[in-house]
Amino acid sequence: MTLTLESVSKVVRGETHIHPVSLTLSRGSMNVLLGPTLSGKTSLMRLMAGLDQPTGGRILWEGRDVTGLRVQDRGVAMVYQQFINYPSMSVFENIASPLRIAGLSRPEIEERVARAAAMMKLTPMLQRKPLELSGGQQQRCALARALVKNAGLVLLDEPLANLDYKLREELRAEIPAIFEEAGSIFVYATTEPHEALLLGGNTACLWEGRITQFGPTAEVYRKPGDAITARVFSDPPMNFLRVQKRGARLGLGSGQEIDAKGPLAELPDGRYVAGFRPNHLGIEPRGAHLLEFSARVAITEITGSESYIHVDHGGDRWVALVHGVRELPAGAEQPVYLDPAHVYVFGEDERLVAAAPYAVAA
Amino acid sequence: MNDKPVNHRAWFMVLPVVALVAFSAALPLMTVVNYSVQDTFGNNQFFWAGADWFEKTLTDPRIHNAFLRQILFSSIILAIEVPLGVFIALNMPKKGVWASACLILMALPLLIPWNVVGTIWQIFGRVDIGLLGRTLAGLGIDYNYTQNPIDAWVTIIVMDVWHWTSLVALLAYAGLRSIPDAYYQAAKIDQASRWAVFRYIELPKMKGVLLIAILLRFMDSFMIYTEPFVVTGGGPGNSTTLLSIDLVKMALGQFDLGPAAAFSIIYFLVILLLSWVFYTVMTAEDAKESKR
Amino acid sequence: MAKITLSGLAHSYLPHPKGPKDYALKRIDHEWEDGAAYALLGPSGCGKTTLLNMISGLLQPSEGRIFFGATDVTDMATAERNIAQVFQFPVVYDTMTVYENLAFPLRNRGVRGEAADARVREIARMIGMDDRLNDKARGLTADAKQKISLGRGMVRNDVNAILFDEPLTVIDPHMKWELRTQLKALHRQFGHTMIYVTHDQTEALTFADKVVVMTEGEVVQIGTPAELFERPAHTFVGYFIGSPGMNLLPAQVEGSVARIPAGEVALGAAYPALSGEVEIGIRPEFIRVTGDGLPVRIRRVEDVGRHKIVRADLADRAIDIMVPEGAEIPAEPRVRFEPEAINVYADGWRVAPGGEREAA
């Protein structure tokens, strides 16, 4: 089972919503569409489902062109951010509804509903109406209905966004296991990098209607092909630093000049943008191989186990994520330290020039 | 708009409706067009008249006067019904038994057939047996809608307001109900006056439904026939002869089919044009605002 | 600005509440210090919004009094209380410009002229909207609208407190960072008393000096982020704070040793004999995967970038373990708990090493 998009694009009233996209999704795979609001996640899903007609390109299902085919004829299931169930039907009837349409026999319906309900921990609630359930249970009901359909393609459009943090965490942990069992092609849209990482599978980064990168999730995270992907796939946001390479030295925007180390040492002279994630920026000099930057504390946020230290370095705002509770006074001078092994180097065109050595080694 | 995947089978589903509409609307309309360019002296013999009837209609002072009366009528009832409807909607209870009771009460006038409304008011206003007419006479007010043109106008306007303000009120009420509570709470916190709440929260959020209400009331009042006809029959004199009453007089009273047909077509085009102007002006304002 | 005192405050939506079950908010006595930042954290339906609405005056408590400073405000209307509130969905006056939105609360109070103009511009600069003063509010993005809501609250000099009702719900992750730090900077600079309601632990912990954890209409713990993380007073706090939450294992505690089905675990302190249902709690951060210790069976490893979450079975119990980025997991994994990080619970409440039970 494969779903192939061949340079599929979408233009609405002269405005490009989706730039030509080519993508192949295969059976039993979890595919995350990661990008901010309005980056084209929902538009792309609607094209995959057949709810919208692409302006250009073809959509193939197992090699067969399905571009013009209606959504009803495609075998697609979809779950939305809002909890959408039939309010007047019981949970059982809700889950059974796609099976009744498919004309399955009564015992078979009962068996498949029971299985899906057990998977989604809905068994004790089968006789209740959706509105008598909590938000998390309502969304489980919608997910069960999508699963039971046995559709080749299951589209999940930010399904957990309206749930409480803790509920989200629990369902997120369950979803990958459930999907491995089901064997369909799953497409999951989210704005949160953390969610993409937890779901695993493959990730496509979206930015302004373009897929900037597609590949196994951990690989896209550790080897972003350009600065946009790195920015989208980093929470807290990735830190950036403009540098000018001159021989063995690096000129920084702040006027500071430091020795070029790690991947920076081997670059030809020129202007670059260095990117590094907050968890790799520290406040302790743990060795001579670290790069040291002068900075000023803007604010600290403490989560109980970790501290986010927001600093200003020559007009750039960086975040350092460090272990433990570190309350630093705002305005204080605080040098920050960075292992060159964790630095990504991007060209002025934002393309990746050199990946962080630690990620290449992994 | 989204282009949906193409499926030509859908056309077969629409066919019966297309046929029905063609039979009930398009064919009679073509008959009217046919009449409007011909003349007849009876015996089913028709002569080509070209644009004569259109010229006559456009220059006829009788029709001009009916047109002016019509504009006046529609303007007055819009000026009363829209603010009044909004005012009622603002004061209706938001939830509970009273909200439902109010809704039912408001819906009642809308359920009464046009000619019944006319008859009710025709009797209600009579000086000899009507409750209103007798009461006013008892109070020493000289009121008689069959004699005095101003009394006749007041009667048909009050009748229309009674009949149709509910529609505006219900639409406005629906608009108000869609405003999230947080807006009112924020306004309280900002110490906004009642007027400011109306001006900056309720009115902007009601705008969409009010536009529909105004359009509906305008079109409907511009075509009004039954109720004023039942009450005044267009009189006294021609003082309440609105466009549609005049048209019926011409077509059925005098059997001037040609002029009446031309009149109908112009009437139709005027309503279409005015509605279009209304709609574009009000939505253009909207589009301009959201673009900024 | 003022201290806020809740005295015997409780609320039931029923006219004649019979038992504790009928209360949406159970009795609470608390003082909110002047100028501090608080978060009310809990799942949906825990009573946090009920409490917030009573402080803002949108809801009249069925029992108890509320004081701002020395003034009893229980019967005062919202407008008289001089508070500001930012709602879950951005509330702006669509037809007004950004400037008019910010000036609106001042105008309603009869403040006009140069003083008002200067204040509006100052606030606009603080919330980073000074270059968009003439834009219509309706065309703005959700985060810009939330900034305006906040600005409208702060534009008055005399606000007693600023209340937030899940203000970042509709904001994208990247903008959340920006808004949150801006909020925190504004708090530090101006020292308003702030109360922030949320179900999101990251928002609560990073924003607040003190977090009030609530569940089922009851406050279970009030503490600093570090206290909530290291010494959760109730198993609910252990579960609710931390991602994933604390691992709880039924145990028998004898002195400084806890016996669990998988074996024995050393504790950081000695405990007296405990009654009731006894559990030990250990956060995933404080479990080490090593070559010795208790054997576990690994079900799944989730790579979340800066660390890995290991889902494992310890005897018959599922536990979560966090291992750092790049760490190797041995072929025959065993785990060790950091003794100092283990908390002991009896009937859900934490027992201090002396044997004393905690309560909210």
Side-chain angles (χ1 to χ4, degrees), chain A residues 36-37 164-166 169-170 176 191 197-198 222 231 235 279-280 298-299 301-303 305-306 310 330 358, chain C residues 43-44 172-174 177 180-181 184-185 188 199 201 205 229 239-240 242-244 300 302-306 325:
Chain A
T37 308
D164 269 15
Y165 187 91
K166 263 299 170 185
E169 194 179 289
E170 287 168 15
T191 58
L197 285 165
L198 277 170
R222 296 229 160 73
R231 196 179 300 134
D235 182 44
N279 49 313
H280 294 138
I299 207 146
E301 296 182 301
I302 293 163
T303 67
S305 55
E306 296 173 317
H310 298 251
Y358 93 100
Chain C
S44 317
D172 268 9
H174 281 69
W177 285 92
R180 239 171 47 201
T181 50
K184 198 149 181 171
R188 219 195 36 232
H199 61 80
Q201 48 166 301
L205 296 169
F229 184 78
Y239 147 82
F240 203 75
S243 182
R300 193 182 166 87
E302 291 165 16
D303 181 354
V304 296
R306 58 194 171 87
E325 184 177 27

Side-chain angles (χ1 to χ4, degrees), chain B residues 14-25:
Chain B
V14 207
L15 253 180
V17 182
V18 172
L20 212 71
V21 170
F23 193 72
S24 64

Side-chain angles (χ1 to χ4, degrees), chain C residues 254-266:
Chain C
E254 275 168 34
S256 57
V257 173
R259 248 181 278 284
I260 57 172
E264 281 187 3
V265 174

Side-chain angles (χ1 to χ4, degrees), chain C residues 29-56:
Chain C
D29 287 279
H30 187 62
E31 271 183 19
W32 310 83
E33 283 161 44
D34 183 14
Y38 290 93
L40 297 178
L41 175 67
S44 317
C46 72
K48 56 191 195 295
T49 304
T50 304
L51 179 53
L52 192 78
N53 286 343
M54 290 195 297
I55 295 171
S56 67

Side-chain angles (χ1 to χ4, degrees), chain A residues 179-298:
Chain A
F179 291 169
E180 272 164 22
E181 210 169 302
S184 312
I185 299 177
F186 286 90
V187 181
Y188 188 113
T190 181
T191 58
E192 292 179 41
H194 187 64
E195 191 155 80
L197 285 165
L198 277 170
L199 292 170
N202 301 315
T203 291
C205 264
L206 266 99
W207 180 256
E208 294 180 348
R210 261 177 242 276
I211 290 190
T212 58
Q213 193 170 345
F214 179 65
T217 301
E219 198 178 307
V220 177
Y221 177 79
R222 296 229 160 73
K223 295 169 191 164
D226 54 33
I228 291 172
T229 308
R231 196 179 300 134
V232 170
F233 208 158
S234 189
D235 182 44
M238 186 175 259
N239 301 311
F240 289 102
L241 169 68
R242 303 199 151 274
V243 295
Q244 179 147 28
K245 177 108 193 309
R246 277 184 301 267
R249 302 284 282 171
L250 283 180
L252 310 181
S254 58
Q256 204 183 342
E257 203 172 81
I258 57 172
D259 282 332
K261 296 175 184 170
L264 295 158
E266 290 135 38
L267 296 171
D269 284 5
R271 290 176 183 281
Y272 299 96
V273 178
F276 43 95
R277 290 204 163 91
N279 49 313
H280 294 138
L281 189 63
I283 53 170
E284 274 146 19
R286 287 223 176 95
H289 64 293
L290 299 182
L291 298 168
E292 181 182 335
F293 301 97
S294 63
R296 189 182 292 275
V297 176

